[in-house]
Amino acid sequence: MVNVTINGKPISVQEGSTILQAANAAGIVVPTLCYAKELNEIGACRVCVVEVEGLDRLATACNTPVADGMVIHTDSPRARKARRANVQLILSQHDCLCPTCVRSGNCALQELSNDLNILEVPFKSEINKGHWDRTVPLIRNESKCIKCMRCIQTCDKIQSLGIWDLAGTGGRTTVDVSHNRVIKEADCTFCGQCITRCPVGALQERDDTQKVFAALENPDVITVVQVAPAVRSAWAEYAGVTHEFATPKRMAAALRRLGFDYVFDTNFTADLTIMEEGSEFVDRFTNRENYLWPMFTSCCPGWVRFLKSQYPELTPNLSTAKSPQQMFGALAKSFFAEKLGVDPHKIFCVSVMPCTAKKAECELPTMKDACGDPDVDVVITTREFTRMLRARSIFPGALPEEDFDSPLGTGTGAAVIFGATGGVMDAALRSAYYLVTGKNPPADAFKAVRGMKGWKEATFNVPGAGDVRVAVTSGLGNTRRLIEAMKRGEVEYDFVEVMACPGGCAGGGGQPITEGYELAEERNDVLWRLDRESKLRFSHENPDVQALYAQYLEKPLGHKSHHLLHTDHCAWTMPQKVK
Amino acid sequence: MSRLVIKAADGQRVADGLYGDLERRLASAPPGLCPVDLALSFVTVCQAQSCGKCVPCRVGLGQLANLLRDLLDGKASMCTLDLIEQTAATIYDSADCAIGYDAARMVLSNLKAYRTDYIEHAAKRRCLGSFQAPVPCRELCPADVDVPGYIALIAEGRYADAVRLIRKDNPFPVACGYICEHPCESKCRRNLLDDAVNIRGLKRYAVDNAGKVPVPACAPATGKTVAVIGGGPSGLTAAYFLALMGHKVTVFERRKKLGGMLRYGIPAYRFPRELLDRDIEAILSTGIEVRYECNVGTDVAFEDLVKEYDCVYISAGAHTGSKARIEGEDLKGVISAVELLKGIGDGEYPDFTGKTVAVIGGGNVAMDATRTSVRLGASKVYCVYRRRQVDMTALPEEVEGAIAEGAELLTLKAPVRIEGDAEGKAAALWVKPQLSGLLDESGRPSPVNADLPEERIPVDLVIVAVGQKIETAIFEKAGLPVTKGALAAMATGQIFANGKIFAGGDCATNPATAIRAVAGGKVAAANIDNYLGYHHEIGVDVEIPAARAESKPRRGRINTSERLAGERKQDFTCIEIGMTEEGALTEASRCLRCDHYGCGALKGGRINKW
């Protein structure tokens, strides 16, 4: 322990602590901006500067370790002046048209500037508009970027892809796609993790809400919406209601208020995915020699993009099952259109996803299996969904609980956990066990794959099939480590679940942003609770899925399934082009 | 009114001080900066120097700056590029004095050298520049040695840990503590404040005070075998790391002892042999086998090594002295510096007592030969060089040391022939006086014959020190490619794509520094490991002290000192006196910790494993 004095208050802290940690421990707030705990402690913005007695210059609280006897003033006139001036310098190059900014009201710079009572900037305004291809799912607004470098660190340290880097030198240094590439040429997975860590409006998803509003307003169009499992863990965070209040049924009501003709649930096709992918796994497992091992899950489009650009030779290891989103789209424009007796071209299929990569997935040339149109027309993120609710003055706190529509609106507990890391594996094992043994295992038999650890592994014995070695990873940096270890022969698995975002879809790049907090774990808990509270916890017990097979698909891996629910991952290359 | 007044001496003092600061700042600029941005900054400074009389300089430089700014701001096109070039040409052609026309010359040469960068800005509104040296010392060390890391350890008195940290990248900490040319210091950010940190001096302090530091344990044996041809710094570095990775290494050394040029090139007064032996002992403690006095090509066939071993690393060095190519070079009494130093490496000290010696050359080897001749008892030693003293490639401290020890520089004298006596022995060196001429592309003046008669310098011995060559014959015979006299290895050290033969050090680079040779060995070790199908990582479990918050006032650099010239020239004992503890700790505190401050914080100031 070392003893320091902060603002006259003597405190004792762990050796190696930073001034910021010491101040926080003493309940003293030091304003920060570029700082992101354990990710970006680089002292770039110079907002957290403090005065340390005996030093000729100010020190940054975020990355200066305390020393015994240090006397620190976090709020001295000198520190205050520098902090204020640095924020004004940042503002001089920031496009301060806040009312039209996607992050207005949820912006670290706005809040800081307000907190410091900055009402004018004495410097010349130098806004650089920059250039960006606004057709991709990931949008960068140069004029908003404050060069905090969090995006660079996120992609380097968490996702191991290095899409972002500093570009140029000197006063014109900025952040851009690394190696002088443009985003379309880069191997970006569009996971959106950089967006959720951006303190300002420099990074955002491509806003597709106007396309959805246009469809909702068009009387000739039948609007069908699906909503992904993880969305229900976060959709009402902005509204200040509890998770317990913000039930899936209230979310269904919200979607209905927006004017969707049919409010369905991706949980339905999550259960269907388990039927197809689980059967595929059992098939591969019992005909081992015909396949490459391990089998990878294929429901996360960020992961699929990662694999296809980083390890294209492993593409055949992916399950051929489409993601639940794409299965849903294919069924909406085939089975459901037939059921309604309408021309499938009239159906406008919208997905609400916790994910930005889903926007790229639905645009894949291989995802037009039902009627020739894209199976899913528009993907909006959870954030866009909440913006739509705000735009229509729909308040989650005032909504009643309503059911999803039938038949594509039912899901089991095994489906809802698709949004949590380990959930797909857990659900798949529950049904695979049943498929092999004809009996249900206890629903919590596969607990070992749950939890926030970035790389989990377990072996389960399935009577009649033998030991199944599984691994679950989330975050592409963890994924790369797993694959490298696999390639070196250090680990061997039969089935691997990969989610590009840390913590799985609950921590997805399309989820709401709360500056300074990673909420993936809390949202995971919501999903696991919903599973526990479900009456049905096995995908194969979903009655609507059973009916779908009976009426339409016949059987898992059957002819129709093959056409609608499976895909050829090798039919396109990264960056996204048809082969 | 007075007819004349005395000019004030210090009217410019502050301005000159700032120019000095700027000069140091420019000299230590990191590589990779945007050349267009730099051109704009230069032009702006040049314009500030304009007297304002002439149009091209007063107005033209300002307009040039505007155009460059447009280019940087993405408001220009390819036409702007043409206009920049034309305007600069006009200023060059028509400015009245050098303030204007030399500014334009700088812009034109910048434009010529970096045209791709200019085009990228004009056509794509993008910049190819990138800040490439977050931690300049580590970046400029060919072997990537963690300089801020070991300086921080020295500051805490953890000298053994400093040695362990250095060995992670370079198994020759002692050698480099004494004789490294320290490229790490050239762009040290401390130059901005006052002067580079004395990195090499600090390293010497660490190795002098670390005691015996054991090497880490080797990885489990892989059963793979590697033959290393030549036991110099490159070969032993590769051998060391490969042994740590668990491979079985055999070094084939032609001479009686290991060390290569560290023993057979560098005189003991610069690097005492017993200290070299400390590095070698540590390296060999990893279990490397050495076949001494085994000449590949005669004692064992190169092709057999290729057949018998899983991998071969050629690090044969450059051990043949180049000829001065003048008449009389075959006379008795004419020797090459390489031969002289080679003999001394095995302890064979010739006696030059009473003799007059002329050393031909201006590089470090020429200085080694000069100062060695002084120590061998020569009554007079001349160092004959065709350019000026400032043009010598030898380190300035080497040249000054030689002068202090009584050697005389004969500069601007081009050797033309050696005159022999009746017995066929060298009797005199004839030289042609030179005039410093036009600058060549590197900015060094080329000497030209002066309108003066040849001069005769009576001598007993002539030592030729004009470079070294590589013996490539046996490798060429085996079908290995040779370019510009050196083995043509790729940047990975590999000779052929996916082949089992690697090469590095002087034999692949032509004569270079010890640390470049070490780097070659390190790179080869990593790639040989991969070639053999492994991915062993080399790291070290030394925790680096966190950068402390402390003031860094401007302060003088602490240098090592030398024994008195009159005393040191009598013997081959080490001439350098290392830092005191007080000096070392003060010098270590000068380090600005670029691994923590500045871009190092973002880009990672440290490579923990390779």
Side-chain angles (χ1 to χ4, degrees):
Chain A
M1 299 298 271
V2 290
N3 297 307
V4 297
T5 308
I6 305 184
N7 301 351
K9 192 169 169 182
I11 59 164
S12 185
V13 287
Q14 198 79 42
E15 205 181 328
S17 306
T18 60
I19 293 176
L20 185 64
Q21 285 166 333
N24 288 347
I28 294 165
V29 173
V30 181
T32 58
L33 181 58
C34 69
Y35 169 80
K37 197 178 169 194
E38 284 163 18
L39 176 74
N40 200 43
E41 303 180 350
I42 64 170
C45 65
R46 317 311 284 176
V47 165
C48 68
V49 283
V50 297
E51 199 165 348
V52 177
E53 283 187 17
L55 286 194
D56 56 352
R57 301 168 61 252
L58 301 175
T60 39
C62 74
N63 67 351
T64 303
V66 291
D68 203 36
M70 219 180 222
V71 181
I72 301 155
H73 303 277
T74 68
D75 205 35
S76 70
R78 208 172 147 206
R80 280 204 308 267
K81 259 182 210 151
R83 182 173 299 146
R84 193 177 158 83
N86 282 330
V87 173
Q88 287 173 323
L89 288 170
I90 293 167
L91 289 169
S92 77
Q93 292 192 337
H94 182 79
D95 175 4
C96 295
L97 276 172
C98 300
T100 55
C101 179
V102 72
R103 293 293 296 276
S104 190
N106 184 18
C107 167
L109 179 61
Q110 195 180 44
E111 192 180 336
L112 178 65
S113 176
N114 285 173
D115 287 351
L116 296 182
N117 193 29
I118 294 173
L119 303 178
E120 56 190 35
V121 175
F123 308 108
K124 185 180 155 195
S125 173
E126 295 179 322
I127 314 297
N128 183 6
K129 290 274 175 209
H131 308 275
W132 195 259
D133 177 352
R134 300 185 80 87
T135 65
V136 296
L138 171 62
I139 305 294
R140 178 170 183 278
N141 305 304
E142 166 72 21
S143 62
K144 299 282 185 189
C145 176
I146 58 168
K147 284 83 181 175
C148 70
M149 322 294 179
R150 285 191 201 169
C151 53
I152 300 179
Q153 302 268 34
T154 301
C155 206
D156 282 1
K157 291 184 184 164
I158 300 178
Q159 300 298 62
S160 80
L161 271 164
I163 295 299
W164 299 116
D165 199 0
L166 290 177
T169 58
R172 287 176 180 77
T173 307
T174 186
V175 174
D176 204 344
V177 182
S178 55
H179 311 299
N180 226 27
R181 296 173 294 179
V182 295
I183 189 72
K184 248 192 183 151
E185 294 164 3
D187 39 9
C188 177
T189 61
F190 298 128
C191 70
Q193 286 297 307
C194 53
I195 300 177
T196 61
R197 287 174 184 79
C198 180
V200 294
L203 292 172
Q204 66 172 101
E205 64 287 341
R206 183 188 64 218
D207 184 278
D208 291 322
T209 57
Q210 295 310 314
K211 287 182 212 160
V212 180
F213 278 129
L216 291 169
E217 287 155 13
N218 186 342
D220 299 330
V221 163
I222 300 165
T223 51
V224 169
V225 67
Q226 59 167 318
V227 54
V231 174
R232 68 208 66 203
S233 67
W235 69 285
E237 278 170 8
Y238 78 103
V241 295
T242 62
H243 287 303
E244 287 70 22
F245 183 83
T247 58
K249 288 186 168 193
R250 283 204 167 80
M251 181 176 71
L255 288 163
R256 201 161 281 129
R257 296 295 176 282
L258 283 173
F260 285 104
D261 297 318
Y262 295 93
V263 177
F264 288 141
D265 197 345
T266 314
N267 278 6
F268 175 82
T269 37
D271 279 331
L272 192 60
T273 298
I274 290 302
M275 296 308 293
E276 293 293 328
E277 192 167 327
S279 305
E280 182 185 1
F281 177 69
V282 171
D283 177 52
R284 288 195 191 202
F285 198 73
T286 43
N287 298 287
R288 278 199 81 89
E289 62 290 350
N290 298 341
Y291 296 97
L292 294 174
W293 292 94
M295 184 171 105
F296 291 131
T297 57
S298 59
C299 40
C300 169
W303 147 240
V304 172
R305 292 176 68 83
F306 175 87
L307 186 73
K308 284 179 62 65
S309 68
Q310 309 300 302
Y311 304 97
E313 72 282 5
L314 298 180
T315 309
N317 293 49
L318 285 168
S319 158
T320 61
K322 281 183 188 170
S323 67
Q325 155 170 292
Q326 292 305 138
M327 285 196 183
F328 181 94
L331 285 175
K333 294 193 179 182
S334 59
F335 166 72
F336 183 62
E338 281 176 39
K339 210 171 169 75
L340 286 186
V342 300
D343 174 6
H345 300 287
K346 290 183 87 171
I347 291 183
F348 192 83
C349 188
V350 176
S351 326
V352 185
M353 294 283 142
C355 177
T356 37
K358 287 281 172 194
K359 286 181 187 266
E361 186 188 35
C362 81
E363 290 163 7
L364 282 176
T366 49
M367 297 297 171
K368 301 173 175 176
D369 288 332
C371 67
D373 288 350
D375 293 329
V376 172
D377 292 284
V378 168
V379 173
I380 56 167
T381 59
T382 315
R383 291 190 295 272
E384 289 165 280
F385 172 37
T386 62
R387 294 208 293 274
M388 289 182 74
L389 294 180
R390 286 178 62 194
R392 294 286 303 279
S393 304
I394 299 165
F395 305 104
L399 289 168
E401 291 201 306
E402 291 177 10
D403 283 328
F404 284 87
D405 289 315
S406 182
L408 305 179
T410 7
T412 66
V416 79
I417 54 175
F418 262 59
T421 169
V424 175
M425 181 60 70
D426 198 319
L429 290 170
R430 291 181 202 177
S431 287
Y433 188 98
Y434 171 82
L435 288 173
V436 173
T437 63
K439 280 189 300 201
N440 278 348
D444 292 317
F446 309 106
K447 260 189 163 164
V449 298
R450 304 179 191 173
M452 290 297 288
K453 228 174 110 195
W455 177 358
K456 296 162 278 190
E457 45 187 21
T459 301
F460 300 107
N461 186 270
V462 180
D467 281 349
V468 181
R469 299 160 301 172
V470 305
V472 169
T473 180
S474 68
L476 294 172
N478 293 326
T479 306
R480 190 185 295 280
R481 274 191 290 285
L482 182 148
I483 294 184
E484 291 296 332
M486 223 176 70
K487 286 173 80 105
R488 288 197 298 269
E490 292 163 14
V491 292
E492 219 174 294
Y493 305 115
D494 301 311
F495 195 7
V496 180
E497 175 203 296
V498 184
M499 296 294 158
C501 295
C505 312
Q511 293 281 61
I513 300 165
T514 306
E515 166 68 18
Y517 293 91
E518 299 292 336
L519 297 174
E521 186 167 12
E522 183 184 314
R523 297 173 188 152
N524 264 264
D525 292 343
V526 172
L527 298 173
W528 290 112
R529 172 173 60 77
L530 291 174
D531 170 37
R532 263 197 323 275
E533 292 169 2
S534 298
K535 282 196 200 80
L536 298 176
R537 298 185 68 190
F538 295 90
S539 294
H540 53 270
E541 291 182 348
N542 182 325
D544 287 341
V545 168
Q546 289 170 346
L548 176 70
Y549 278 113
Q551 294 166 23
Y552 192 72
L553 293 172
E554 294 170 8
K555 60 176 196 285
L557 309 181
H559 180 70
K560 249 192 182 131
S561 291
H562 181 78
H563 173 61
L564 290 172
L565 310 183
H566 290 258
T567 187
D568 177 7
H569 297 294
C570 295
W572 55 281
T573 53
M574 275 287 292
Q576 205 160 318
K577 312 191 259 279
V578 196
K579 238 182 195 172
Chain B
M1 183 139 173
S2 313
R3 273 179 64 187
L4 291 172
V5 291
I6 292 164
K7 293 177 183 176
D10 60 353
Q12 266 292 99
R13 211 161 43 100
V14 175
D16 285 345
L18 290 173
Y19 286 138
D21 290 347
L22 194 58
E23 223 169 273
R24 283 198 318 275
R25 180 173 272 265
L26 292 178
S28 54
L33 300 181
C34 171
V36 186
D37 201 6
L38 288 177
L40 170 60
S41 314
F42 284 134
V43 168
T44 316
V45 171
C46 293
Q47 200 195 16
Q49 294 176 326
S50 178
C51 79
K53 187 201 80 173
C54 308
V55 171
C57 180
R58 184 188 70 239
V59 188
L61 289 178
Q63 290 298 355
L64 207 47
N66 288 337
L67 294 170
L68 289 166
R69 203 170 288 118
D70 283 350
L71 193 59
L72 287 164
D73 289 343
K75 295 175 187 160
S77 66
M78 291 300 284
C79 301
T80 322
L81 219 56
D82 293 338
L83 188 56
I84 289 173
E85 196 156 18
Q86 282 164 24
T87 311
T90 302
I91 299 169
Y92 179 75
D93 282 340
S94 63
D96 199 13
C97 83
I99 295 174
Y101 67 73
D102 198 58
R105 180 193 62 77
M106 279 162 47
V107 172
L108 287 170
S109 82
N110 185 278
L111 185 55
K112 190 175 161 204
Y114 300 107
R115 190 167 279 277
T116 3
D117 295 76
Y118 279 81
I119 292 174
E120 189 79 4
H121 277 284
K124 295 193 183 157
R125 294 182 284 195
R126 292 200 298 201
C127 179
L128 295 174
S130 68
F131 193 91
Q132 285 166 7
V135 187
C137 47
R138 197 207 70 210
E139 208 70 40
L140 286 161
C141 174
D144 269 327
V145 174
D146 185 351
V147 177
Y150 74 72
I151 292 182
L153 292 166
I154 292 168
E156 293 206 340
R158 292 163 58 189
Y159 308 123
D161 279 347
V163 167
R164 294 171 62 217
L165 181 66
I166 296 167
R167 278 201 195 134
K168 171 179 76 87
D169 302 290
N170 169 6
F172 282 98
V174 183
C176 286
Y178 278 77
I179 53 87
C180 187
E181 282 208 7
H182 49 77
C184 50
E185 294 179 22
S186 66
K187 304 272 180 189
C188 174
R189 202 166 292 156
R190 186 82 203 189
N191 275 308
L192 304 184
L193 295 185
D194 38 49
D195 201 350
V197 172
N198 190 344
I199 299 173
R200 206 267 306 157
L202 281 170
K203 177 157 48 201
R204 174 175 164 179
Y205 186 80
V207 297
D208 283 349
N209 292 280
K212 195 171 168 173
V213 184
V215 299
C218 296
T222 61
K224 299 285 180 184
T225 57
V226 182
V228 172
I229 303 174
S234 193
L236 290 182
T237 298
Y240 172 76
F241 288 124
L242 288 166
L244 287 184
M245 292 167 179
H247 307 304
K248 177 90 194 86
V249 185
T250 310
V251 176
F252 294 84
E253 172 54 54
R254 173 199 290 203
R255 304 198 198 290
K256 290 183 191 136
K257 288 181 171 176
L258 292 170
M261 278 297 182
L262 296 175
R263 183 184 305 276
Y264 296 102
I266 292 170
Y269 64 83
R270 288 215 283 136
F271 184 31
R273 305 295 182 227
E274 62 280 12
L275 294 177
L276 170 61
D277 290 337
R278 275 176 48 196
D279 274 340
I280 293 176
E281 215 174 279
I283 291 168
L284 294 185
S285 71
T286 56
I288 296 162
E289 187 193 330
V290 186
R291 305 264 294 272
Y292 293 97
E293 295 187 89
C294 178
N295 194 9
V296 174
T298 52
D299 300 320
V300 50
F302 174 68
E303 288 79 359
D304 288 345
L305 295 185
V306 175
K307 239 178 274 160
E308 286 164 26
Y309 287 82
D310 295 314
C311 209
V312 176
Y313 181 54
I314 308 171
S315 48
H319 291 273
T320 313
S322 298
K323 296 271 186 192
R325 281 183 284 183
I326 54 172
E327 189 189 322
E329 219 172 337
D330 299 327
L331 291 166
K332 258 186 266 168
V334 181
I335 54 172
S336 85
V338 176
E339 288 305 317
L340 171 71
L341 296 169
K342 194 186 291 175
I344 289 175
D346 277 331
E348 294 153 16
Y349 288 88
D351 186 4
F352 287 179
T353 307
K355 294 206 161 111
T356 300
V357 181
V359 177
I360 298 175
N364 282 319
V365 177
M367 292 309 129
D368 288 342
T370 301
R371 300 175 77 175
T372 297
S373 299
V374 170
R375 284 165 175 74
L376 293 173
S379 58
K380 208 158 192 47
V381 183
Y382 298 112
C383 181
V384 186
Y385 186 52
R386 65 197 186 110
R387 301 176 199 246
R388 302 168 303 171
Q389 185 181 336
V390 290
D391 304 324
M392 285 184 159
T393 54
L395 292 172
E397 55 265 34
E398 284 294 317
V399 181
E400 282 150 25
I403 296 169
E405 288 163 10
E408 290 195 66
L409 301 191
L410 291 178
T411 54
L412 288 169
K413 311 283 184 199
V416 285
R417 66 183 171 281
I418 302 162
E419 177 192 315
D421 62 11
E423 293 158 33
K425 274 180 60 199
L429 175 67
W430 282 86
V431 294
K432 175 73 182 171
Q434 303 288 300
L435 194 68
S436 196
L438 298 176
L439 303 196
D440 64 14
E441 285 212 339
S442 66
R444 209 161 66 135
S446 315
V448 291
N449 283 339
D451 193 9
L452 289 167
E454 286 180 359
E455 294 168 12
R456 183 177 185 274
I457 308 161
V459 294
D460 301 309
L461 284 168
V462 175
I463 302 174
V464 182
V466 294
Q468 294 122 263
K469 284 192 304 197
I470 300 155
E471 291 167 56
T472 54
I474 64 152
F475 304 117
E476 267 181 293
K477 218 180 79 201
L480 271 48
V482 171
T483 6
K484 290 187 182 163
L487 285 170
M490 296 182 270
T492 54
Q494 217 160 11
I495 298 271
F496 299 111
N498 306 318
K500 68 185 328 194
I501 305 169
F502 290 71
D506 282 357
C507 73
T509 58
N510 274 315
T513 56
I515 190 65
R516 289 208 80 82
V518 166
K522 176 184 163 185
V523 167
N527 293 316
I528 288 172
D529 187 51
N530 276 11
Y531 171 81
L532 294 174
Y534 296 89
H535 189 81
H536 292 99
E537 285 182 321
I538 300 290
V540 64
D541 57 346
V542 171
E543 202 184 317
I544 313 291
R548 283 183 300 219
E550 49 193 8
S551 300
K552 299 282 181 183
R554 285 161 41 117
R555 169 197 285 281
R557 167 183 159 117
I558 293 177
N559 288 319
T560 55
S561 56
E562 290 186 342
R563 291 162 60 211
L564 293 177
E567 177 200 314
R568 74 189 187 221
K569 71 181 200 182
Q570 319 277 351
D571 57 45
F572 279 88
T573 315
C574 189
I575 59 177
E576 189 189 55
I577 303 166
M579 290 181 191
T580 59
E581 185 183 17
E582 183 189 22
L585 293 180
T586 308
E587 188 60 11
S589 77
R590 290 181 67 237
C591 175
L592 294 178
R593 292 299 302 262
C594 300
D595 57 331
H596 176 81
Y597 293 100
C599 202
L602 171 65
K603 289 289 178 175
R606 185 141 290 119
I607 301 169
N608 290 320
K609 283 183 207 161
W610 57 270

